Amino acid sequence: MGYKKKIRIRERRMKRTMGLCTNEGDGKTFTIDIHPGHRQEKSRLNTTVHEAIHAGEWSLSEARTMAIAWAVTHVLWRQGWRRIHK
């Protein structure tokens, strides 16, 4: 079973948020913007997971998205997942 959504991820400075997921209007194409100014890698991971959840299930409330993102981030962090810098 293939994944039918297209998700583009980019780094972009934003004034009021550390991450943003936008729907291109068709319900299948999303852009995730991650602010490059995260002070901690765990915070960046949480933002990335949070915005990915929005892309995966656009209809979830912000509170529900935050709760799921925190749980997934916690598990991934405890398992040693880290971003690889090239």
Side-chain angles (χ1 to χ4, degrees), residues 3-10 20-33 51-52 54-58:
Y3 191 71
K4 303 292 184 193
K5 294 183 181 182
K6 180 179 178 185
I7 302 171
R8 186 173 100 181
I9 302 169
R10 63 185 180 186
L20 181 67
C21 179
T22 54
N23 180 344
E24 304 303 322
D26 62 2
K28 295 180 181 177
T29 307
F30 297 86
T31 299
I32 294 176
D33 291 310
E51 301 309 334
H54 279 308
E57 186 53 59
W58 189 253

Side-chain angles (χ1 to χ4, degrees), residues 6-81:
K6 180 179 178 185
I7 302 171
R8 186 173 100 181
I9 302 169
R10 63 185 180 186
E11 259 192 22
R12 173 172 84 85
R13 293 202 175 277
M14 295 171 279
K15 291 186 178 185
R16 295 193 170 109
T17 186
M18 296 305 277
L20 181 67
C21 179
T22 54
N23 180 344
E24 304 303 322
D26 62 2
K28 295 180 181 177
T29 307
F30 297 86
T31 299
I32 294 176
D33 291 310
I34 304 294
H35 192 291
H38 282 82
R39 294 177 193 234
Q40 298 176 343
E41 282 299 308
K42 190 173 183 181
S43 172
R44 183 187 177 91
L45 175 62
N46 185 63
T47 298
T48 303
V49 169
H50 179 103
E51 301 309 334
I53 292 168
H54 279 308
E57 186 53 59
W58 189 253
S59 65
L60 286 178
S61 70
E62 187 66 15
R64 190 74 183 127
T65 300
M66 288 174 68
I68 295 167
W70 181 87
V72 171
T73 298
H74 180 73
V75 168
L76 292 176
W77 196 260
R78 297 274 314 263
Q79 289 293 307
W81 287 84

